[in-house]
Amino acid sequence: MSAATTLLVTGGAGFIGSHVVEAALARGWRVRVLDSLRRDVHGDGTMRVPAQDGLEMVVGDVARERDVASALEGVDVVCHLAAKVGLGVDFGDAADYVASNVGATAVLLQAMRVAQVRRLVLASSMVVYGEGAYRDAEGPLTVPPRAADDLEAGRFEPISPRTGEPVEPLLVDEAAPSDPRNVYAASKLAQEHLAAAWARGGDGTAALLRFHNVYGPHMPMGTPYAGVASLFRSALERGEAPRVFEDGRQRRDFVHVRDVADANLAAADWTASAPAGTVRAFNVGSGVVHTIGEMATALADAFGGPDPVVTGEFRLGDVRHVTASSQRAADELDWRAAIGFEEGMQQFAHAPQRPPAGGGDT
C-alpha cells in the first residue's frame, strides 16, 4: 500500500479511533476523520490528535447521508469505528443503539457503494460471541446464560446442561457461533451482517475486527462505556480500591489500544489484496488469558494504590469467560499484539485519560 492512501476514520476523535489516526499518519497516509464530537461523548468537543499535514477533520454525523457522502470523496479505505458502546442491558436504550450503530452503518455502506469505495474495516466486538467457548467431560458445548438465582448465590461458573458440572473455558475462534446477549452485542452483530451483505452484493472487501478488552492511554475516565480497565484506573485516581465484581476470576483478553490500531492498519492492507466480495472476521486480542482480578491487582500495583476489593456483586448480561484466539489475524493479517500485559499495565497506570463526558463511542 502506497503512501498516497487516503483513509477515512469514522469516530476518529474517540479512544480507539484517535490511535488509528496516529498510526496511519505515522505511516505517511492521508487521514480524514468524520466525527460528530458529541459533547456527551467528547466533553469540550476537541480533537485529541493535533492538526498536522495529512490530517483533515470533518465534523459530521455518520447517520447523515450528506455528511458521509462528502467525507468519502477521494477515500481509498474506511475504518468504521463510530458507535455507541457499552452493555446496553437496559432495553430502553435499544432504539439509540440501533440508530447509532445499525442505522448509521447502513447509511455509510450505501454511501460507499455510491462513491465506489470498496474497502472496509469494521470495528466489531467479542460480545458477538456471548459466552466464550467451553467444553465439559463429553466435549465442546454452548452454555446458556447464567441464571440470576445462581449469581445471587455466588455460583458464578457456567454449568453444563449435560453433566450438571462447571465447564472448562477455551479460547474462542472466529468459527464459533454468534450469540449476542444484550442490545449492544446485537447491534454489533447487525453491523457485521450489513457489512457482509454490502461486500457480497458488489465488489467490496470487508474485515470485521472483533476487539477484545481494549485498554490504554486516553481511555475515558470513570465510565462503564469504556470498560472495566477505565473504572479501575479511575478508582485508583480517587484513592479508592478497584471494586471487582463476582469473584474476580472472570477470564478476559486485555489488548493494548496501540496494538488494536496496528490491527486496523493491517486489516486495511488486507482489504487491498483480498478478492472482491470477501468478508472475513478476525479476533483482535493479545492471545494471553488473564482474569479481571489479576488485571485489577496488576494495575493497582503499578499505580501504587490500594489493593482491589472483590465484592461478589454481579450484572445480569455479563458473560463469565470470553478469551480470544487471534491466530487467524497472525496467519492472514501478519498481525500480533506487541505490548505484553505487564508492560501495558505499567504504562496504563500512569497514562493520561480522557475526562468523563457521560457517554461513549468506540
Side-chain angles (χ1 to χ4, degrees), residues 203-239:
D203 298 325
T205 55
L208 316 176
L209 301 188
R210 293 171 176 169
F211 302 154
H212 283 248
N213 291 75
V214 186
Y215 72 96
H218 304 289
M219 289 188 81
M221 295 174 60
T223 169
Y225 293 99
V228 68
S230 172
L231 294 176
F232 291 168
R233 168 66 194 278
S234 297
L236 291 165
E237 290 279 359
R238 297 191 301 267

mmCIF file of all heavy atoms in Angstrom, residues 203-239:
data_model
loop_
_atom_site.group_PDB
_atom_site.id
_atom_site.type_symbol
_atom_site.label_atom_id
_atom_site.label_comp_id
_atom_site.label_asym_id
_atom_site.label_seq_id
_atom_site.Cartn_x
_atom_site.Cartn_y
_atom_site.Cartn_z
ATOM 1 N N ASP A 203 -18.528 -5.199 -5.150
ATOM 2 C CA ASP A 203 -17.106 -5.505 -5.301
ATOM 3 C C ASP A 203 -16.331 -5.211 -4.023
ATOM 4 O O ASP A 203 -15.126 -4.987 -4.066
ATOM 5 C CB ASP A 203 -16.517 -4.678 -6.452
ATOM 6 C CG ASP A 203 -17.162 -5.012 -7.787
ATOM 7 O OD1 ASP A 203 -17.506 -6.193 -7.986
ATOM 8 O OD2 ASP A 203 -17.330 -4.097 -8.618
ATOM 9 N N GLY A 204 -16.998 -5.197 -2.878
ATOM 10 C CA GLY A 204 -16.332 -4.777 -1.656
ATOM 11 C C GLY A 204 -15.527 -5.881 -0.991
ATOM 12 O O GLY A 204 -15.733 -7.074 -1.232
ATOM 13 N N THR A 205 -14.606 -5.464 -0.145
ATOM 14 C CA THR A 205 -13.920 -6.377 0.766
ATOM 15 C C THR A 205 -14.057 -5.798 2.162
ATOM 16 O O THR A 205 -13.890 -4.595 2.376
ATOM 17 C CB THR A 205 -12.433 -6.551 0.418
ATOM 18 O OG1 THR A 205 -11.797 -5.270 0.372
ATOM 19 C CG2 THR A 205 -12.265 -7.230 -0.928
ATOM 20 N N ALA A 206 -14.365 -6.655 3.127
ATOM 21 C CA ALA A 206 -14.643 -6.201 4.487
ATOM 22 C C ALA A 206 -13.905 -7.066 5.494
ATOM 23 O O ALA A 206 -14.044 -8.300 5.480
ATOM 24 C CB ALA A 206 -16.142 -6.230 4.773
ATOM 25 N N ALA A 207 -13.149 -6.419 6.367
ATOM 26 C CA ALA A 207 -12.518 -7.071 7.509
ATOM 27 C C ALA A 207 -13.311 -6.698 8.751
ATOM 28 O O ALA A 207 -13.489 -5.507 9.047
ATOM 29 C CB ALA A 207 -11.065 -6.626 7.659
ATOM 30 N N LEU A 208 -13.801 -7.688 9.463
ATOM 31 C CA LEU A 208 -14.605 -7.481 10.666
ATOM 32 C C LEU A 208 -13.715 -7.759 11.873
ATOM 33 O O LEU A 208 -13.393 -8.916 12.158
ATOM 34 C CB LEU A 208 -15.817 -8.419 10.674
ATOM 35 C CG LEU A 208 -16.576 -8.555 9.343
ATOM 36 C CD1 LEU A 208 -17.683 -9.591 9.471
ATOM 37 C CD2 LEU A 208 -17.123 -7.209 8.896
ATOM 38 N N LEU A 209 -13.299 -6.719 12.570
ATOM 39 C CA LEU A 209 -12.347 -6.873 13.668
ATOM 40 C C LEU A 209 -13.106 -6.974 14.980
ATOM 41 O O LEU A 209 -13.739 -6.013 15.425
ATOM 42 C CB LEU A 209 -11.383 -5.685 13.717
ATOM 43 C CG LEU A 209 -10.547 -5.443 12.460
ATOM 44 C CD1 LEU A 209 -9.507 -4.359 12.721
ATOM 45 C CD2 LEU A 209 -9.886 -6.730 11.968
ATOM 46 N N ARG A 210 -13.028 -8.137 15.601
ATOM 47 C CA ARG A 210 -13.721 -8.375 16.867
ATOM 48 C C ARG A 210 -12.763 -8.066 18.014
ATOM 49 O O ARG A 210 -11.989 -8.921 18.464
ATOM 50 C CB ARG A 210 -14.228 -9.816 16.913
ATOM 51 C CG ARG A 210 -15.322 -10.066 15.881
ATOM 52 C CD ARG A 210 -15.692 -11.524 15.754
ATOM 53 N NE ARG A 210 -16.816 -11.690 14.809
ATOM 54 C CZ ARG A 210 -17.233 -12.865 14.334
ATOM 55 N NH1 ARG A 210 -16.625 -13.978 14.726
ATOM 56 N NH2 ARG A 210 -18.245 -12.916 13.489
ATOM 57 N N PHE A 211 -12.826 -6.810 18.459
ATOM 58 C CA PHE A 211 -11.935 -6.364 19.525
ATOM 59 C C PHE A 211 -12.276 -7.075 20.824
ATOM 60 O O PHE A 211 -13.449 -7.226 21.180
ATOM 61 C CB PHE A 211 -12.071 -4.857 19.761
ATOM 62 C CG PHE A 211 -11.782 -3.993 18.562
ATOM 63 C CD1 PHE A 211 -12.348 -2.742 18.449
ATOM 64 C CD2 PHE A 211 -10.937 -4.417 17.553
ATOM 65 C CE1 PHE A 211 -12.088 -1.927 17.368
ATOM 66 C CE2 PHE A 211 -10.666 -3.619 16.453
ATOM 67 C CZ PHE A 211 -11.252 -2.366 16.362
ATOM 68 N N HIS A 212 -11.242 -7.439 21.557
ATOM 69 C CA HIS A 212 -11.438 -7.946 22.906
ATOM 70 C C HIS A 212 -11.255 -6.769 23.875
ATOM 71 O O HIS A 212 -11.583 -5.641 23.532
ATOM 72 C CB HIS A 212 -10.577 -9.178 23.130
ATOM 73 C CG HIS A 212 -11.173 -10.381 22.461
ATOM 74 N ND1 HIS A 212 -11.697 -11.435 23.147
ATOM 75 C CD2 HIS A 212 -11.404 -10.645 21.145
ATOM 76 C CE1 HIS A 212 -12.214 -12.315 22.295
ATOM 77 N NE2 HIS A 212 -12.032 -11.853 21.072
ATOM 78 N N ASN A 213 -10.829 -6.950 25.081
ATOM 79 C CA ASN A 213 -10.867 -5.875 26.083
ATOM 80 C C ASN A 213 -9.738 -4.882 25.837
ATOM 81 O O ASN A 213 -8.598 -5.126 26.234
ATOM 82 C CB ASN A 213 -10.782 -6.467 27.494
ATOM 83 C CG ASN A 213 -12.046 -7.225 27.859
ATOM 84 O OD1 ASN A 213 -12.262 -8.330 27.389
ATOM 85 N ND2 ASN A 213 -12.881 -6.621 28.685
ATOM 86 N N VAL A 214 -10.072 -3.774 25.201
ATOM 87 C CA VAL A 214 -9.086 -2.776 24.811
ATOM 88 C C VAL A 214 -8.851 -1.807 25.971
ATOM 89 O O VAL A 214 -9.789 -1.358 26.628
ATOM 90 C CB VAL A 214 -9.555 -1.999 23.573
ATOM 91 C CG1 VAL A 214 -8.458 -1.053 23.080
ATOM 92 C CG2 VAL A 214 -9.978 -2.959 22.459
ATOM 93 N N TYR A 215 -7.588 -1.473 26.216
ATOM 94 C CA TYR A 215 -7.234 -0.505 27.259
ATOM 95 C C TYR A 215 -6.045 0.297 26.767
ATOM 96 O O TYR A 215 -5.371 -0.074 25.789
ATOM 97 C CB TYR A 215 -6.885 -1.220 28.572
ATOM 98 C CG TYR A 215 -5.552 -1.944 28.524
ATOM 99 C CD1 TYR A 215 -4.390 -1.335 29.012
ATOM 100 C CD2 TYR A 215 -5.427 -3.212 27.950
ATOM 101 C CE1 TYR A 215 -3.156 -1.977 28.935
ATOM 102 C CE2 TYR A 215 -4.214 -3.857 27.869
ATOM 103 C CZ TYR A 215 -3.072 -3.231 28.363
ATOM 104 O OH TYR A 215 -1.853 -3.857 28.278
ATOM 105 N N GLY A 216 -5.760 1.406 27.458
ATOM 106 C CA GLY A 216 -4.569 2.166 27.114
ATOM 107 C C GLY A 216 -4.766 3.655 27.306
ATOM 108 O O GLY A 216 -5.771 4.102 27.865
ATOM 109 N N PRO A 217 -3.792 4.439 26.864
ATOM 110 C CA PRO A 217 -3.844 5.892 27.053
ATOM 111 C C PRO A 217 -5.088 6.512 26.441
ATOM 112 O O PRO A 217 -5.565 6.088 25.390
ATOM 113 C CB PRO A 217 -2.577 6.387 26.335
ATOM 114 C CG PRO A 217 -1.671 5.208 26.273
ATOM 115 C CD PRO A 217 -2.559 4.009 26.172
ATOM 116 N N HIS A 218 -5.621 7.512 27.141
ATOM 117 C CA HIS A 218 -6.745 8.321 26.687
ATOM 118 C C HIS A 218 -8.076 7.571 26.704
ATOM 119 O O HIS A 218 -9.018 7.966 26.019
ATOM 120 C CB HIS A 218 -6.471 8.930 25.308
ATOM 121 C CG HIS A 218 -5.221 9.748 25.273
ATOM 122 N ND1 HIS A 218 -5.125 10.970 25.913
ATOM 123 C CD2 HIS A 218 -4.008 9.500 24.714
ATOM 124 C CE1 HIS A 218 -3.893 11.434 25.736
ATOM 125 N NE2 HIS A 218 -3.207 10.585 25.027
ATOM 126 N N MET A 219 -8.162 6.511 27.526
ATOM 127 C CA MET A 219 -9.481 5.949 27.800
ATOM 128 C C MET A 219 -10.305 6.991 28.542
ATOM 129 O O MET A 219 -9.781 7.726 29.378
ATOM 130 C CB MET A 219 -9.382 4.697 28.681
ATOM 131 C CG MET A 219 -8.816 3.478 28.021
ATOM 132 S SD MET A 219 -8.970 2.007 29.074
ATOM 133 C CE MET A 219 -10.680 1.541 28.754
ATOM 134 N N PRO A 220 -11.596 7.064 28.286
ATOM 135 C CA PRO A 220 -12.445 7.952 29.093
ATOM 136 C C PRO A 220 -12.437 7.524 30.555
ATOM 137 O O PRO A 220 -12.414 6.328 30.862
ATOM 138 C CB PRO A 220 -13.839 7.767 28.471
ATOM 139 C CG PRO A 220 -13.588 7.224 27.111
ATOM 140 C CD PRO A 220 -12.340 6.405 27.211
ATOM 141 N N MET A 221 -12.433 8.480 31.449
ATOM 142 C CA MET A 221 -12.355 8.202 32.878
ATOM 143 C C MET A 221 -13.723 7.852 33.448
ATOM 144 O O MET A 221 -14.725 8.455 33.085
ATOM 145 C CB MET A 221 -11.810 9.417 33.633
ATOM 146 C CG MET A 221 -10.386 9.780 33.313
ATOM 147 S SD MET A 221 -9.883 11.327 34.126
ATOM 148 C CE MET A 221 -10.117 10.892 35.866
ATOM 149 N N GLY A 222 -13.730 6.875 34.364
ATOM 150 C CA GLY A 222 -14.857 6.647 35.243
ATOM 151 C C GLY A 222 -16.179 6.391 34.572
ATOM 152 O O GLY A 222 -17.218 6.763 35.094
ATOM 153 N N THR A 223 -16.178 5.735 33.419
ATOM 154 C CA THR A 223 -17.434 5.474 32.733
ATOM 155 C C THR A 223 -17.512 4.009 32.340
ATOM 156 O O THR A 223 -16.542 3.452 31.822
ATOM 157 C CB THR A 223 -17.576 6.347 31.468
ATOM 158 O OG1 THR A 223 -18.693 5.868 30.705
ATOM 159 C CG2 THR A 223 -16.336 6.306 30.608
ATOM 160 N N PRO A 224 -18.660 3.357 32.572
ATOM 161 C CA PRO A 224 -18.805 1.964 32.153
ATOM 162 C C PRO A 224 -18.746 1.789 30.648
ATOM 163 O O PRO A 224 -18.521 0.683 30.160
ATOM 164 C CB PRO A 224 -20.181 1.564 32.708
ATOM 165 C CG PRO A 224 -20.915 2.846 32.880
ATOM 166 C CD PRO A 224 -19.868 3.865 33.239
ATOM 167 N N TYR A 225 -18.943 2.884 29.891
ATOM 168 C CA TYR A 225 -18.867 2.779 28.443
ATOM 169 C C TYR A 225 -17.465 2.385 27.981
ATOM 170 O O TYR A 225 -17.305 1.835 26.908
ATOM 171 C CB TYR A 225 -19.258 4.110 27.791
ATOM 172 C CG TYR A 225 -20.701 4.487 27.978
ATOM 173 C CD1 TYR A 225 -21.076 5.395 28.955
ATOM 174 C CD2 TYR A 225 -21.682 3.943 27.172
ATOM 175 C CE1 TYR A 225 -22.407 5.754 29.125
ATOM 176 C CE2 TYR A 225 -23.019 4.289 27.329
ATOM 177 C CZ TYR A 225 -23.372 5.199 28.309
ATOM 178 O OH TYR A 225 -24.676 5.541 28.473
ATOM 179 N N ALA A 226 -16.455 2.696 28.769
ATOM 180 C CA ALA A 226 -15.080 2.441 28.354
ATOM 181 C C ALA A 226 -14.550 1.110 28.848
ATOM 182 O O ALA A 226 -13.472 0.700 28.448
ATOM 183 C CB ALA A 226 -14.165 3.566 28.840
ATOM 184 N N GLY A 227 -15.272 0.448 29.737
ATOM 185 C CA GLY A 227 -14.836 -0.863 30.188
ATOM 186 C C GLY A 227 -14.224 -0.850 31.564
ATOM 187 O O GLY A 227 -13.972 0.182 32.183
ATOM 188 N N VAL A 228 -13.957 -2.070 32.040
ATOM 189 C CA VAL A 228 -13.561 -2.258 33.426
ATOM 190 C C VAL A 228 -12.191 -1.645 33.713
ATOM 191 O O VAL A 228 -11.942 -1.148 34.820
ATOM 192 C CB VAL A 228 -13.602 -3.761 33.775
ATOM 193 C CG1 VAL A 228 -12.520 -4.535 33.036
ATOM 194 C CG2 VAL A 228 -13.514 -3.994 35.259
ATOM 195 N N ALA A 229 -11.288 -1.646 32.751
ATOM 196 C CA ALA A 229 -9.966 -1.069 32.992
ATOM 197 C C ALA A 229 -10.069 0.410 33.324
ATOM 198 O O ALA A 229 -9.367 0.919 34.208
ATOM 199 C CB ALA A 229 -9.067 -1.282 31.771
ATOM 200 N N SER A 230 -10.952 1.118 32.637
ATOM 201 C CA SER A 230 -11.151 2.533 32.928
ATOM 202 C C SER A 230 -11.732 2.745 34.317
ATOM 203 O O SER A 230 -11.318 3.651 35.051
ATOM 204 C CB SER A 230 -12.084 3.143 31.878
ATOM 205 O OG SER A 230 -12.453 4.454 32.226
ATOM 206 N N LEU A 231 -12.698 1.908 34.705
ATOM 207 C CA LEU A 231 -13.300 2.037 36.026
ATOM 208 C C LEU A 231 -12.264 1.814 37.121
ATOM 209 O O LEU A 231 -12.227 2.546 38.127
ATOM 210 C CB LEU A 231 -14.450 1.043 36.174
ATOM 211 C CG LEU A 231 -15.666 1.279 35.276
ATOM 212 C CD1 LEU A 231 -16.679 0.161 35.471
ATOM 213 C CD2 LEU A 231 -16.300 2.627 35.580
ATOM 214 N N PHE A 232 -11.414 0.820 36.945
ATOM 215 C CA PHE A 232 -10.391 0.537 37.954
ATOM 216 C C PHE A 232 -9.372 1.668 38.036
ATOM 217 O O PHE A 232 -8.994 2.107 39.124
ATOM 218 C CB PHE A 232 -9.674 -0.777 37.635
ATOM 219 C CG PHE A 232 -10.526 -2.004 37.800
ATOM 220 C CD1 PHE A 232 -10.090 -3.233 37.305
ATOM 221 C CD2 PHE A 232 -11.749 -1.958 38.443
ATOM 222 C CE1 PHE A 232 -10.856 -4.372 37.458
ATOM 223 C CE2 PHE A 232 -12.526 -3.104 38.596
ATOM 224 C CZ PHE A 232 -12.077 -4.307 38.100
ATOM 225 N N ARG A 233 -8.942 2.161 36.891
ATOM 226 C CA ARG A 233 -7.957 3.244 36.887
ATOM 227 C C ARG A 233 -8.551 4.511 37.515
ATOM 228 O O ARG A 233 -7.877 5.218 38.278
ATOM 229 C CB ARG A 233 -7.494 3.506 35.452
ATOM 230 C CG ARG A 233 -6.685 4.771 35.247
ATOM 231 C CD ARG A 233 -5.324 4.765 35.942
ATOM 232 N NE ARG A 233 -4.807 6.121 35.947
ATOM 233 C CZ ARG A 233 -4.183 6.690 34.923
ATOM 234 N NH1 ARG A 233 -3.973 6.015 33.805
ATOM 235 N NH2 ARG A 233 -3.760 7.937 35.015
ATOM 236 N N SER A 234 -9.805 4.794 37.217
ATOM 237 C CA SER A 234 -10.445 5.979 37.786
ATOM 238 C C SER A 234 -10.587 5.854 39.298
ATOM 239 O O SER A 234 -10.406 6.837 40.030
ATOM 240 C CB SER A 234 -11.815 6.195 37.139
ATOM 241 O OG SER A 234 -11.677 6.452 35.759
ATOM 242 N N ALA A 235 -10.901 4.661 39.801
ATOM 243 C CA ALA A 235 -10.972 4.454 41.249
ATOM 244 C C ALA A 235 -9.619 4.715 41.891
ATOM 245 O O ALA A 235 -9.528 5.373 42.946
ATOM 246 C CB ALA A 235 -11.444 3.034 41.543
ATOM 247 N N LEU A 236 -8.568 4.234 41.280
ATOM 248 C CA LEU A 236 -7.227 4.451 41.831
ATOM 249 C C LEU A 236 -6.880 5.932 41.845
ATOM 250 O O LEU A 236 -6.252 6.418 42.800
ATOM 251 C CB LEU A 236 -6.199 3.652 41.016
ATOM 252 C CG LEU A 236 -6.282 2.130 41.173
ATOM 253 C CD1 LEU A 236 -5.499 1.422 40.072
ATOM 254 C CD2 LEU A 236 -5.767 1.712 42.550
ATOM 255 N N GLU A 237 -7.284 6.658 40.817
ATOM 256 C CA GLU A 237 -7.038 8.107 40.786
ATOM 257 C C GLU A 237 -7.713 8.804 41.965
ATOM 258 O O GLU A 237 -7.211 9.802 42.489
ATOM 259 C CB GLU A 237 -7.551 8.701 39.472
ATOM 260 C CG GLU A 237 -6.754 8.314 38.242
ATOM 261 C CD GLU A 237 -5.490 9.140 38.073
ATOM 262 O OE1 GLU A 237 -5.247 10.037 38.905
ATOM 263 O OE2 GLU A 237 -4.754 8.876 37.108
ATOM 264 N N ARG A 238 -8.857 8.280 42.390
ATOM 265 C CA ARG A 238 -9.578 8.860 43.523
ATOM 266 C C ARG A 238 -9.057 8.364 44.862
ATOM 267 O O ARG A 238 -9.577 8.735 45.919
ATOM 268 C CB ARG A 238 -11.070 8.509 43.424
ATOM 269 C CG ARG A 238 -11.773 9.062 42.202
ATOM 270 C CD ARG A 238 -13.293 8.890 42.313
ATOM 271 N NE ARG A 238 -13.680 7.486 42.464
ATOM 272 C CZ ARG A 238 -14.000 6.681 41.460
ATOM 273 N NH1 ARG A 238 -13.936 7.129 40.204
ATOM 274 N NH2 ARG A 238 -14.374 5.433 41.681
ATOM 275 N N GLY A 239 -8.043 7.505 44.834
ATOM 276 C CA GLY A 239 -7.526 6.944 46.073
ATOM 277 C C GLY A 239 -8.331 5.785 46.606
ATOM 278 O O GLY A 239 -8.182 5.381 47.762
#
